[in-house]
Amino acid sequence: MTKLRSKDLLGMQQLEADEINLILDTARTMKQIMQSGNKKTAHLQGKSAITLFYENSTRTRLSFENAAKYMGCNTGSISTSGSSIQKGESLLDTAVTIDRMATDFIVIRHPHAGAPHYLAPRVNASIINAGDGMNEHPTQSLLDLYTMRDKLGRLDGLKVAIIGDISHSRVARSNLWALKKLGSEVYVSGPGTMLPVQFAQTGAHVCHRVADAVEGADVVMGLRIQLERQEAGLFPSVPEYSRFYGISPEVLRLAKPQALLMHPGPANHGVELPTEVYNCDQSVISEQVTNGVAVRMAVLYLLNIRRNS
Amino acid sequence: MKLIIKNATTVRPCQAGASPQEQQDCLRQETVYIQDGLFSQAFAEDPDTLVIDARGLHVLPGLIDAHAHLRDPGFEYKEDIESGTASAARGGFTTVACMPNTSPVCDNETVVRYIKDKAARVGTVNVWPIGAASKGQKGQQITEIGLMKEAGIVAVSDDGAPVSTADLMRKAMTYAADFNLTVLDHCEDKSLAHGGAMNEGYNSTVMGVQGIPTAAEDIMIARDIILAEYLELPVHICHVSTSSGVELIRQAKARGVKVTCETCPHYFTLTDDACLGFNTLARVNPPLRRPKDVAAIIEGLADGTIDIIATDHAPHHQDEKDLEFDQAANGMIGFETAWQLAYTKLVKTNQLSLADLARVMSQAPNQLFKQDRGSLTIGRPADITIIDLSRRVTVDRFKMRSRSKNSPYHGMSVDSDIAYTIVGGKVVYHG
């Protein structure tokens, strides 16, 4: 296995286990380049990547842009404000416009599930999904997997607990699809109002008490709670949420002693976890950010090989 | 103008649950005579008589679609009365009842007369307008149902939107009854549906798409049944898609509640698997459901719980379908596949008979609207659909006569085809 099968990265549902391992192996080299003090390669010289974001983002967008630049790729970015999207231009017309400027990679984040899948067959560029609605966020999953493998030495036989708003989480879905393929078990917990219907049918273990999900876990992952979900009535208050669904030090102690604490960010301190947990020795949250650049470099690098073949 | 259909196997409607012998008795070898647009006693052939040799073909009372969207006035870029009725004729329909969610809304006699006049001018088949239940379909005040009845409406509905409150539904049912009209309700509790784009279930969870639970439909069906029982008035439930909805209606009918209902070919043909890959052609409301719902819909048709197969023909322009799944419009065109899907999925599989289809696609819709069609009775208007059961067809959505091409059945093989569509004794389609 030296090549990805598709020109696009749409989701972890579409990647086979050997492709995931290829990306993670490649990312290890990329991380070395990142940390070498001379972050400049010629792998993507003469290529161009455009980030097309219909939702706000700090880390994902910057991570992709840095990943591209470290490999010599030209970058540009489009967001909803200040572009023709505000004039009502359709997603397809916008993407085709970008595509016809000889763009190699379009990194898209969109509030609607399936938007990248819709574009992929309609443009020449490689479509990279940077988050589509509640569906998938594959590079977040890849950086989570990279971090787990780096710290725990394997991705099979792990118990991974994901806590929070599972319904609206593309991170939870992408990690579930990936970890199942790699031989690990995913336990989820959160308020019943935030668990998707028939989730157990996906192979996930659904727990109504956070403690049951976390007990003996190798990884404990918190998810961001969108505070506007409270207005929608999905949870009654922040104090109630953090009391019953927050990852407190006591909850974290139920996991294995060396368990990793992860969070895709941005975190609400004091809601899904308190600051002392965010900063605890087991927390790998800031390393996740670093690894995010490495896996995105790997994705761009491998998609470029696929494009040239 | 005289017409003789020779060597015909005629199909008359049977009761639901009829015995094989009774169903067989509904099929007869006979000659059908038509004079001055009406079914007639036998007469001698003369040089002016058109003769159709229907050897090997089946002759049914003309199909009546109880639920369609012709999009005229206001959305002629999707469909208009001319293209819509041409599409209906191609699908074997001799009459279509059209829903009022046009622009302007069909909530007053002027729009009703516009539809009737245009249909008389450019339409190929009979068009029966359905008037809005509330002004502007806004769910606030009942419409001028009496004046619209005089102009030609056959029923009342806010289709597309449910009748929002129980109080308005009560008023509409009560007032419509003064004019011998039934209210047709699109059942959906909007607060539970949450703007969802597909059935809530395993597939919506996997795709990360907001789901619409079956409960959203069932709760509104239950409300309408309770009102019909309390008021002792009729109500008609549009496009039933859930197994639990079928059961609610079955129990209500057993108690003698005056509830009737329809389903559509997509609810006995497709499941929400059709949405996988974000296929917007499979987006429809109510959404495609689970295999157990499909089974219950077929069972409900077979035992007579479901009275009618309607199309919910819902044309949409490519620009409204070639989009992100969440953004795409709900609905699919249905005139040109309805008969074939019913025959292929229900009759070929021995779950319904041809005589059952004559009931659910002709007699029962006529009865819902209390009109004078849906039979082969002498003296009645000669609306006829002639079917060739020996043909096998591959559905090609781009060859359809509808102005829109949003059919999810493209490439599907189906049995039978329409040979003739005859409206008032006049051949409007022959293929």
Side-chain angles (χ1 to χ4, degrees):
Chain A
M1 176 95 232
T2 55
K3 270 206 274 286
L4 297 177
R5 293 186 179 87
S6 164
K7 84 169 169 71
D8 309 293
L9 177 63
L10 299 180
M12 301 310 281
Q13 285 184 83
Q14 283 79 15
L15 284 183
E16 302 293 336
D18 59 351
E19 295 177 287
I20 296 172
N21 283 319
L22 173 66
I23 296 169
L24 299 182
D25 292 342
T26 309
R28 192 177 305 169
T29 313
M30 295 304 175
K31 192 167 178 184
Q32 285 163 4
I33 294 170
M34 267 180 81
Q35 293 174 331
S36 68
N38 180 18
K39 306 184 282 286
K40 201 78 181 174
T41 75
H43 292 317
L44 295 182
Q45 205 168 22
K47 306 294 174 188
S48 59
I50 300 293
T51 55
L52 173 59
F53 274 46
Y54 286 78
E55 285 181 345
N56 296 334
S57 163
T58 304
R59 69 204 71 217
T60 303
R61 181 174 210 140
L62 192 58
S63 184
F64 268 110
E65 287 175 0
N66 279 329
K69 284 175 182 156
Y70 294 166
M71 293 188 290
C73 186
N74 297 307
T75 62
S77 68
I78 313 275
S79 46
T80 30
S81 61
S83 71
S84 291
I85 296 164
Q86 248 179 352
K87 300 181 195 167
E89 187 167 36
S90 73
L91 173 63
L92 180 61
D93 288 355
T94 304
V96 168
T97 300
I98 296 168
D99 193 49
R100 291 297 181 271
M101 296 184 190
T103 302
D104 298 284
F105 308 98
I106 299 175
V107 180
I108 177 173
R109 168 167 289 188
H110 199 280
H112 295 314
H117 310 62
Y118 166 70
L119 290 181
R122 292 169 168 82
V123 295
N124 296 316
S126 290
I127 294 288
I128 301 173
N129 183 359
D132 63 322
M134 306 183 284
N135 183 35
E136 286 238 34
H137 191 353
T139 58
Q140 177 68 43
S141 172
L142 287 164
L143 76 89
D144 291 339
L145 297 172
Y146 183 93
T147 307
M148 289 178 212
R149 196 174 81 164
D150 192 40
K151 293 286 176 188
L152 303 172
R154 63 195 168 98
L155 287 171
D156 59 330
L158 299 178
K159 175 177 177 177
V160 177
I162 305 179
I163 311 300
D165 181 358
I166 310 296
S167 283
H168 296 92
S169 179
R170 50 200 178 207
V171 177
R173 283 183 177 78
S174 284
N175 274 319
L176 171 63
W177 309 133
L179 287 162
K180 262 175 47 184
K181 282 178 192 170
L182 298 167
S184 286
E185 296 295 317
V186 174
Y187 288 68
V188 300
S189 187
T193 48
M194 293 179 165
L195 295 175
V197 296
Q198 293 177 33
F199 203 57
Q201 221 176 303
T202 63
H205 304 268
V206 178
C207 304
H208 291 283
R209 281 163 22 100
V210 172
D212 295 338
V214 171
E215 190 160 18
D218 299 280
V219 176
V220 179
M221 184 182 295
L223 296 175
R224 176 181 172 75
I225 290 293
Q226 310 265 13
L227 296 175
E228 53 272 23
R229 305 281 179 227
Q230 185 187 337
E231 286 161 35
L234 294 177
F235 67 98
S237 73
V238 166
E240 169 124 341
Y241 183 88
S242 61
R243 164 77 176 77
F244 292 101
Y245 304 100
I247 303 170
S248 63
E250 296 73 36
V251 165
L252 189 56
R253 268 198 291 277
L254 297 170
K256 285 187 182 158
Q258 300 309 314
L260 305 179
L261 176 81
M262 303 179 77
H263 192 294
N268 296 302
H269 290 253
V271 184
E272 56 259 21
L273 36 72
T275 299
E276 65 259 38
V277 171
Y278 188 93
N279 291 326
C280 73
D281 291 343
Q282 289 163 265
S283 169
V284 292
I285 295 171
S286 57
E287 278 177 69
Q288 286 175 267
V289 175
T290 309
N291 295 338
V293 181
V295 298
R296 289 175 179 117
M297 288 172 76
V299 165
L300 290 165
Y301 172 78
L302 290 167
L303 287 176
N304 189 52
I305 291 176
R306 172 66 177 70
R307 293 177 66 75
N308 294 335
S309 64
Chain B
M1 179 66 205
K2 289 189 275 189
L3 172 64
I4 296 178
I5 304 171
K6 282 187 175 163
N7 303 313
T9 304
T10 55
V11 182
R12 284 177 174 74
C14 67
Q15 299 284 319
S19 69
Q21 186 55 51
E22 288 167 326
Q23 288 174 359
Q24 200 53 46
D25 291 345
C26 292
L27 304 191
R28 292 182 212 162
Q29 298 298 320
E30 62 188 317
T31 302
V32 179
Y33 297 89
I34 294 142
Q35 194 158 219
D36 300 326
L38 307 174
F39 292 112
S40 143
Q41 304 284 358
F43 55 78
E45 188 181 328
D46 64 32
D48 288 339
T49 309
L50 175 66
V51 178
I52 293 175
D53 183 357
R55 190 176 301 276
L57 305 178
H58 286 74
V59 173
L60 282 84
L63 306 183
I64 299 173
D65 188 3
H67 187 144
H69 299 270
L70 294 178
R71 306 298 192 205
D72 190 351
F75 304 104
E76 292 85 352
Y77 67 96
K78 300 174 195 250
E79 192 87 283
D80 64 14
I81 288 169
E82 186 170 8
S83 65
T85 56
S87 174
R90 171 65 187 89
F93 289 97
T94 53
T95 299
V96 297
C98 59
M99 284 295 178
N101 57 340
T102 47
S103 179
V105 170
C106 183
D107 64 356
N108 61 77
E109 60 171 315
T110 308
V111 180
V112 178
R113 289 191 200 285
Y114 162 83
I115 293 169
K116 294 285 286 184
D117 291 350
K118 185 163 180 185
R121 239 177 335 107
V122 302
T124 318
V125 305
N126 309 309
V127 174
W128 292 348
I130 295 168
S134 68
K135 288 180 188 166
Q137 291 193 301
K138 289 194 168 76
Q140 306 286 322
Q141 288 173 290
I142 55 169
T143 49
E144 296 167 331
I145 292 172
L147 289 171
M148 289 198 291
K149 168 92 188 250
E150 283 184 351
I153 63 165
V154 294
V156 170
S157 179
D158 268 357
D159 182 61
V163 175
S164 52
T165 67
D167 178 55
L168 182 74
M169 187 66 185
R170 172 189 183 156
K171 289 185 174 113
M173 286 169 67
T174 306
Y175 190 70
D178 288 350
F179 299 94
N180 202 20
L181 295 175
T182 301
V183 179
L184 284 42
D185 200 16
H186 166 126
C187 288
E188 180 183 10
D189 182 322
K190 288 278 184 193
S191 74
L192 268 180
H194 249 292
M198 63 186 288
N199 180 55
E200 179 178 280
Y202 178 73
N203 284 334
S204 68
T205 287
V206 168
M207 289 165 66
V209 170
Q210 181 70 45
I212 303 173
T214 53
E217 182 171 337
D218 300 340
I219 284 171
M220 199 70 102
I221 292 175
R223 178 198 79 175
D224 288 354
I225 287 171
I226 289 165
L227 282 172
E229 191 162 19
Y230 178 72
L231 300 169
E232 296 180 18
L233 288 174
V235 71
H236 177 80
I237 311 297
C238 293
H239 41 51
V240 175
S241 73
T242 70
S243 57
S244 31
V246 173
E247 188 52 34
L248 283 167
I249 294 163
R250 181 177 289 127
Q251 290 169 8
K253 284 188 164 188
R255 292 198 301 278
V257 181
K258 290 186 229 168
V259 57
T260 55
C261 71
E262 74 201 24
T263 191
C264 310
H266 36 283
Y267 300 120
F268 58 74
T269 304
L270 301 173
T271 65
D272 62 354
D273 282 355
C275 299
L276 292 172
F278 302 97
N279 175 18
T280 59
L281 291 174
R283 239 199 102 161
V284 62
N285 192 16
L288 301 175
R289 306 285 191 185
R290 305 152 298 181
K292 71 178 241 194
D293 298 301
V294 170
I297 294 293
I298 294 173
E299 197 190 335
L301 280 165
D303 73 10
T305 301
I306 301 176
D307 303 275
I308 290 171
I309 295 173
T311 65
D312 198 3
H313 178 82
H316 288 295
H317 191 271
Q318 179 186 342
D319 290 351
E320 295 159 320
K321 278 292 189 182
D322 188 11
L323 284 174
E324 304 93 301
F325 192 82
D326 282 328
Q327 304 279 73
N330 284 316
M332 44 184 72
I333 55 173
F335 287 148
E336 295 173 62
T337 46
W339 167 269
Q340 288 150 319
L341 291 169
Y343 179 71
T344 308
K345 298 291 173 185
L346 304 174
V347 178
K348 285 284 272 189
T349 56
N350 293 320
Q351 298 172 98
L352 267 72
S353 67
L354 283 171
D356 284 320
L357 289 194
R359 182 184 69 254
V360 300
M361 297 182 79
S362 183
Q363 183 192 45
N366 181 72
Q367 225 160 18
L368 172 66
F369 302 126
K370 304 179 184 81
Q371 301 294 309
D372 59 352
R373 296 170 195 258
S375 78
L376 301 175
T377 308
I378 289 168
R380 296 281 190 91
D383 290 356
I384 300 168
T385 305
I386 304 183
I387 311 282
D388 183 348
L389 298 180
S390 67
R391 290 189 224 166
R392 191 166 174 80
V393 179
T394 301
V395 176
D396 185 339
R397 67 188 180 108
F398 300 107
K399 288 191 177 153
M400 292 186 183
R401 298 191 178 189
S402 172
R403 182 161 295 156
S404 292
K405 308 299 172 196
N406 53 310
S407 167
Y409 305 113
H410 187 70
M412 185 185 276
S413 275
V414 289
D415 291 297
S416 80
D417 203 355
I418 309 302
Y420 294 88
T421 306
I422 298 169
V423 178
K426 192 173 146 232
V427 176
V428 296
Y429 171 77
H430 171 38

